[in-house]
Amino acid sequence: LPRAGFVLSAAPLAWAVTSLLMPRILRDGRRPPAALGLALAGCAVAVLAFTLLVSTAFPVAAVTWTLAGIGIGLAYPGLYLICTSTERAGGLDATDLATAVITAEAFGGLLGRATGGLVIGAGPVVTYGMFAAFLLFAAYACRRTRSAESAEPAG
């Protein structure tokens, strides 16, 4: 149980710490594209899915979830800025855009849990494999939108 708690805590902690470091990374002139973060998360989850075919190694699970959290931490701030930028919002103000993002996140979370509940019976390899595929698709789709590199941090 302690190992499972550690693994499940690794991703959100890595996400939080990476997100907190993003202003420093941006200030130093390094601007990792959001697609890179999503690709890192997708690859980490894919490695976890592959590893589950042969073992349930704690170190692999801890490292892959931590890398997935770092990937999301790299992607999320830039994507949030893009989604809430009023420059191409078609007349929507910042409050409308923030509300849309929060609603999309909440709906996406509910949809993800519902879908996850359906596929969990297929086993963890299939479930994590599908999750990795969605993350990698998101990295591809993100690459095709206005780059997070061009989004300036507020303030």
Side-chain angles (χ1 to χ4, degrees):
L1 192 57
R3 286 182 171 191
F6 178 84
V7 169
L8 292 175
S9 299
L13 289 173
W15 174 358
V17 170
T18 304
S19 292
L20 290 172
L21 293 175
M22 283 302 289
R24 173 175 278 167
I25 292 169
L26 294 173
R27 190 172 44 248
D28 292 343
R30 297 175 299 223
R31 295 177 178 264
L36 174 68
L38 291 172
L40 174 62
C43 290
V45 174
V47 168
L48 178 61
F50 178 75
T51 302
L52 290 174
L53 288 172
V54 292
S55 76
T56 56
F58 167 71
V60 174
V63 169
T64 55
W65 272 124
T66 302
L67 289 174
I70 290 169
I72 299 300
L74 290 172
Y76 188 86
L79 291 175
Y80 187 85
L81 287 175
I82 290 169
C83 292
T84 58
S85 173
T86 58
E87 66 189 41
R88 293 205 255 170
L92 297 173
D93 65 12
T95 303
D96 293 333
L97 294 170
T99 302
V101 168
I102 292 167
T103 302
E105 287 177 342
F107 181 74
L110 290 172
L111 181 62
R113 283 190 290 277
T115 304
L118 290 173
V119 298
I120 200 75
V125 174
V126 172
T127 304
Y128 288 127
M130 289 177 63
F131 185 39
F134 281 115
L135 283 167
L136 293 171
F137 176 75
Y140 174 76
C142 175
R143 183 184 65 76
R144 296 178 46 93
T145 62
R146 184 170 65 97
S147 172
E149 292 177 287
S150 64
E152 291 298 322

